[in-house]
Amino acid sequence: ETMGQAAEGLLPEVRAGAQAMGDDEEMLNDLVKEQRLEMTLPKAKELQQYAEEIVFLAKKNTPYHDGLVESMLTSPESRRILYERMVPRYTDRMFHFTRVLNHFKYRFRDSAPMATIEYVDRPGELRPANPVGAARDQFVAAEFLATRRGRRKHAGEVERMLGRKNPAHVPLDEGVLERCRFECRKLGVGGAVLGEAWALERRGEGVPAAAGRKRSAAAPKEE
């Protein structure tokens, strides 16, 4: 078998691979433009990794990563949408920019399972995504104060929220914070005491005895 015959035998496979790559690029451009596409479930799961990657690379904001984005998104309109709309939208979201929803129905001609892939955190999405950043803090506080189940579920997260030294990092008003501290005291969560101590320190009123004992116990002993 000569080299020419071997190359000729590989040509159909190379051609099929190039065609599949071109189809993926086309669907990726369409997904960025439309923000939602309906396709078969295997194709949606395959496309999801590229849809996540372009947002992750675009947020890096370096010439190298911009070149990678340009190699994946061939449409100038898609790149404009990515940098002007999607990168600011996902400033606080580190990952999980997309979702795949299984329709649990099948295409008539070949019985392929159908699904929808879409970008989250936008108007008109099929269901709201889990909030992040300041919206997450407000959501957790509302769930924590609403029901006993919410208090049991989000007690640890509220404790970490109240334990922040910088009050500017907690996007809640003082009334909501006081209610959270009160509920935490009822549950015996330590973050409420620490939050009270730091609030009193900022006002210059000293540290409560319980908080002082907790902080001194947490500090390492000096030899």
Side-chain angles (χ1 to χ4, degrees):
E1 187 179 18
T2 63
M3 293 181 62
Q5 291 173 340
E8 187 178 357
L10 290 176
L11 276 178
E13 298 179 5
V14 174
R15 190 181 302 114
Q19 184 177 0
M21 189 179 300
D23 293 342
D24 289 342
E25 288 181 356
E26 209 170 303
M27 284 191 295
L28 189 59
N29 283 296
D30 293 339
L31 178 61
V32 172
K33 293 176 186 176
E34 303 295 333
Q35 299 289 292
R36 179 193 298 166
L37 289 179
E38 183 175 346
M39 60 186 64
T40 62
L41 181 60
K43 182 59 72 174
K45 290 182 177 180
E46 181 183 354
L47 184 64
Q48 186 178 27
Q49 57 183 332
Y50 302 112
E52 295 273 341
E53 187 177 1
I54 58 172
V55 180
F56 180 79
L57 294 175
K59 289 177 65 176
K60 295 291 185 180
N61 196 24
T62 64
Y64 172 73
H65 294 97
D66 291 344
L68 294 178
V69 171
E70 188 173 355
S71 67
M72 298 173 69
L73 278 182
T74 57
S75 169
E77 182 183 358
S78 300
R79 292 195 294 270
R80 181 181 58 81
I81 293 173
L82 175 64
Y83 284 101
E84 293 183 4
R85 302 182 191 175
M86 298 172 64
V87 170
R89 182 199 306 168
Y90 299 124
T91 302
D92 294 325
R93 188 175 291 278
M94 298 296 105
F95 39 76
H96 300 319
F97 312 111
T98 62
R99 71 160 59 93
V100 173
L101 291 177
N102 190 351
H103 292 177
F104 294 101
K105 66 180 183 180
Y106 300 90
R107 194 162 55 188
F108 179 74
R109 69 173 185 266
D110 56 1
S111 299
M114 301 302 294
T116 294
I117 179 172
E118 68 171 356
Y119 281 102
V120 301
D121 293 342
R122 62 180 182 82
E125 58 180 331
L126 296 178
R127 69 180 184 204
N130 290 330
V132 293
R136 175 67 184 178
D137 291 341
Q138 296 169 359
F139 169 78
V140 168
E143 291 289 317
F144 179 76
L145 297 174
T147 61
R148 286 181 294 178
R149 176 178 294 180
R151 287 189 279 278
R152 290 194 300 268
K153 181 178 180 181
H154 299 290
E157 196 165 351
V158 170
E159 178 185 5
R160 292 191 296 272
M161 188 191 311
L162 295 176
R164 299 174 190 168
K165 285 191 175 183
N166 190 349
H169 293 166
V170 183
L172 303 172
D173 56 27
E174 192 59 36
V176 176
L177 289 174
E178 188 58 38
R179 289 179 59 196
C180 289
R181 293 191 191 103
F182 175 74
E183 295 294 340
C184 284
R185 282 194 297 269
K186 288 168 60 177
L187 294 173
V189 178
V193 180
L194 287 176
E196 258 183 16
W198 287 323
L200 291 175
E201 281 181 352
R202 289 195 302 272
R203 294 198 295 263
E205 299 177 9
V207 181
R213 288 195 300 271
K214 188 174 184 66
R215 294 179 66 183
S216 61
K221 295 182 180 179
E222 294 183 1
E223 296 182 358

